[in-house]
Amino acid sequence: MSSKTRSNSANHGHSNSGFVPDDGSGREKSAFVIELVEKRPPANTGEKDLQDYDPYQHRQVTHPTTNNETLIHLLKGSLGTGILAMPMAFYHAGYIVGSIGTIAIGLLCTYCIHMLIKVEYEMCKRKKVPSLSYPAVGEAALSDGPRWCRAIAPHIVHVINTFLLIYQLGTCCVYVVFVSSNIKSIVDYYTEEKTDVRLYMLIILLPLILINWVRNLKYLAPFSTIANFITLISFGIILYYIFREPISFDGLIAVGKLRDFPLFFGTVLFALEAIGVILPLENEMKTPRHFGGPFGVLNKAMIVIVTLYVGMGLFGYINYGSDVLGSITLNLPPSEILAQCVKGMLAFAIYITHGIACYVAIDITWNEYLFKRFQSSTRKVFWEYVTRTILVLITFLLAVAIPNLELFISLFGALCLSALGLAFPALMQTACYWHVRKGKAKVLMVLKNVVIAIIGVVGLVVGTYTSISDIIATFFEDGGESGHH
C-alpha cells in the first residue's frame, strides 16, 4: 500500500453534495480528500493490541459532520439527473416490475454499501490507520485474501480508479446532453426552425471548459448551494405537474419486455448508487458508528431515496405513458411558462455542477497518474489546464456523438456501478474474511458473495451490451436525435 492514501471519491455525479472538507492548511483539496500516512504496527505488536485499535477514535477531522448533515449530503448526492430518468426506466420495465425491481435493487445496493463500510473498518483496524479510500480498501482487503486475491491486489487500485473515472466522465456526458436537450426544448417552442441539439452543446462548451479551470473546489461550493436550492424547487414543480392529472393505468404496461430490462437495471443503478460518496462521508462524520446499523444514516437515506425514485418513476410513467422521454423535464408542457422555467432552472443547476462532477475525474487523472510525470516541470500548471480541457472535450465529444440521454444513463449505470456498487464490495468482503471465518459461516459468505458478484457481472455485461446496441441502432436510424425511444 502506498504511504499516502488519497480518497478519490466521486460525488455520485447526479447532484453534488456541496460538501468541501478543509484541512485548514490552505492547500488545494480535492472532493472528499482525506490524506493519511499509514502507520504500520510495530513488529512486536500482539494480536490483542491490534484488536484494541479503534479507527474511529483516531480520526482527526477539522470540521466533522453531524448525523443529520451526513444524511442531507447523502440525499443530495443521490438526487439529480438520475431521478428524472426514472419514468423512462419504468417505461422499459412496466409499472409492476419497475416498482418491485427498484425496491429490490435498492435493497441490494444498500446491503453492498454496508459490506463496504464493514470491510473498511476491519481493514483500518488491521492496518492501524484511521480511514481508507475506496481504492485503498480494495487493495488492503485483497492483500489479506487467498493467494489469487493477493496476486491482483496491487492492480485493484487502478481498476477501481478506472471505473470511477469512466463513471464520472459518463456523468459529465449525461450533464452535457441533459443541459443542451432542455435548452433545445425551451428554444424550439419559441422558434419555427428546429435546431440540432449538438449546436447547443457547442454553445455551452467554452464556459464549461472555463468552469473546469477552477482549481480549488472551495470556489465552486457556493454555486453548489445555489444548484441544490434550484434543484429542490424544480423537483417540487415537477411533482405538481405529475400529480395534477387524474391517475389512470389505461394503456400502460405492467410487465415490460425482457430485452428492455437491462436498460431499466442500468438506469436504476445510475440513479440510486451513491457508492462514490459513501466512504468519504462516513470518514468525515463526528459519530461514524451511526452511519451503518439498522437505524443508521445510510438506511434512513436509502429508504427516502428509494421511496422518491419509485414515486417519480411510477407516477411519471402513469402520467406520460409511452410518450415519456429520457428526462421527465422534456415532457412538461412547453406552452406553460412555469414548465419552461423548470427546464431552464434545472439546466442551469446541472450546468454549474458539471465542474464538481468533473473534479473527481480530474483528481484521479491528474493527481494519481499525471502529476508524478510533470512534478519537476516548470510548466506543470499549464499541463494541468491541458488535462482539464481534454477531459471536458472527451465528455463533449461523446455527448455530440450520441446525444441520447436515457441510453447514456443506462450505459454508465450498467458499466460502472454494477462493478463499483455490487461486484467489488462482494469480492472485498470475501477476501477480507477469507482467513477469519471458518466452516459453515465461510461457505455461506462465499456463496452469497458469488451470487452478488454474478448479478453485478451479468448486469455489467448484458446492460452494457443492450445500451451500446441501442446506441448504435439510434445512431444509424435517426442520427442520434435526443429524446426518442
Side-chain angles (χ1 to χ4, degrees), residues 253-484:
I253 308 159
V255 180
K257 296 177 194 154
L258 186 62
R259 192 212 165 277
D260 290 336
F261 186 80
L263 296 173
F264 163 78
F265 180 78
T267 306
V268 175
L269 267 188
F270 181 92
L272 203 60
E273 185 59 275
I275 197 73
V277 298
I278 296 300
L279 292 184
L281 284 178
E282 193 250 12
N283 289 340
E284 292 278 336
M285 279 181 76
K286 194 182 286 180
T287 52
R289 280 185 206 286
H290 295 165
F291 190 79
F295 304 103
V297 171
L298 176 63
N299 284 0
K300 286 177 186 170
M302 291 306 276
I303 287 167
V304 173
I305 290 162
V306 171
T307 305
L308 284 172
Y309 277 53
V310 171
M312 183 69 91
L314 179 62
F315 291 106
Y317 175 51
I318 287 170
N319 201 350
Y320 297 111
S322 59
D323 294 327
V324 74
L325 296 171
S327 165
I328 195 169
T329 53
L330 302 174
N331 282 104
L332 300 180
S335 56
E336 296 188 28
I337 293 293
L338 186 63
Q340 297 287 51
C341 285
V342 170
K343 291 177 200 173
M345 279 159 49
L346 275 173
F348 175 72
I350 295 299
Y351 188 70
I352 59 177
T353 53
H354 184 285
I356 293 167
C358 205
Y359 206 97
V360 181
I362 292 162
D363 181 49
I364 295 170
T365 311
W366 179 252
N367 291 325
E368 293 292 313
Y369 296 104
L370 297 179
F371 182 72
K372 295 162 197 157
R373 294 188 179 186
F374 296 106
Q375 203 162 7
S376 54
S377 169
T378 51
R379 305 182 69 191
K380 65 170 179 258
V381 175
F382 167 76
W383 288 115
E384 184 183 337
Y385 281 119
V386 169
T387 305
R388 288 168 177 270
T389 308
I390 289 170
L391 287 172
V392 176
L393 286 173
I394 289 169
T395 65
F396 166 75
L397 291 171
L398 262 174
V400 164
I402 319 116
N404 193 308
L405 196 64
E406 66 269 20
L407 295 181
F408 254 140
I409 287 176
S410 61
L411 170 64
F412 290 110
L415 176 62
C416 300
L417 295 171
S418 297
L420 290 170
L422 305 176
F424 289 159
L427 174 64
M428 288 176 196
Q429 192 199 41
T430 306
C432 176
Y433 295 105
W434 185 261
H435 299 295
V436 177
R437 294 193 181 162
K438 303 280 183 250
K440 197 173 172 184
K442 185 174 181 175
V443 172
L444 285 172
M445 176 189 76
V446 172
L447 282 174
K448 170 195 61 112
N449 286 340
V450 164
V451 170
I452 293 171
I454 288 170
I455 293 170
V457 172
V458 170
L460 189 155
V461 174
V462 179
T464 304
Y465 173 78
T466 308
S467 300
I468 289 176
S469 58
D470 276 21
I471 284 169
I472 292 166
T474 307
F475 190 68
F476 285 113
E477 272 170 30
D478 60 13
E481 186 63 37
S482 173
H484 293 297

Side-chain angles (χ1 to χ4, degrees), residues 37-174:
V37 177
E38 185 164 311
K39 299 181 282 294
R40 289 278 179 202
N44 59 355
T45 308
E47 188 62 34
K48 188 178 184 306
D49 295 326
L50 268 174
Q51 289 306 313
D52 287 345
Y53 180 86
D54 184 0
Y56 295 156
Q57 302 296 323
H58 291 79
R59 283 184 191 171
Q60 293 176 333
V61 183
T62 317
H63 302 293
T65 51
T66 63
N67 292 358
N68 285 339
E69 283 169 342
T70 307
L71 179 68
I72 290 163
H73 290 319
L74 194 50
L75 290 173
K76 284 194 293 193
S78 296
L79 297 173
T81 49
I83 193 172
L84 300 173
M86 284 304 292
M88 186 57 159
F90 271 63
Y91 166 77
H92 288 309
Y95 58 85
I96 290 176
V97 174
S99 304
I100 296 166
T102 306
I103 294 166
I105 295 168
L107 287 169
L108 184 61
C109 289
T110 309
Y111 179 75
C112 288
I113 293 168
H114 279 292
M115 279 203 297
L116 182 64
I117 294 162
K118 285 173 185 163
V119 171
E120 187 217 10
Y121 181 76
E122 181 65 26
M123 293 321 302
C124 284
K125 240 177 138 164
R126 291 185 201 172
K127 304 289 176 193
K128 284 205 159 186
V129 292
S131 56
L132 290 167
S133 67
Y134 189 161
V137 173
E139 189 183 6
L142 267 60
S143 301
D144 280 11
R147 186 176 294 169
W148 63 270
C149 277
R150 292 200 294 274
I152 57 172
H155 309 291
I156 196 73
V157 172
H158 305 300
V159 174
I160 291 171
N161 274 338
T162 303
F163 275 108
L164 281 171
L165 181 62
I166 294 169
Y167 173 57
Q168 284 308 121
L169 290 177
T171 298
C172 293
C173 289
V174 169

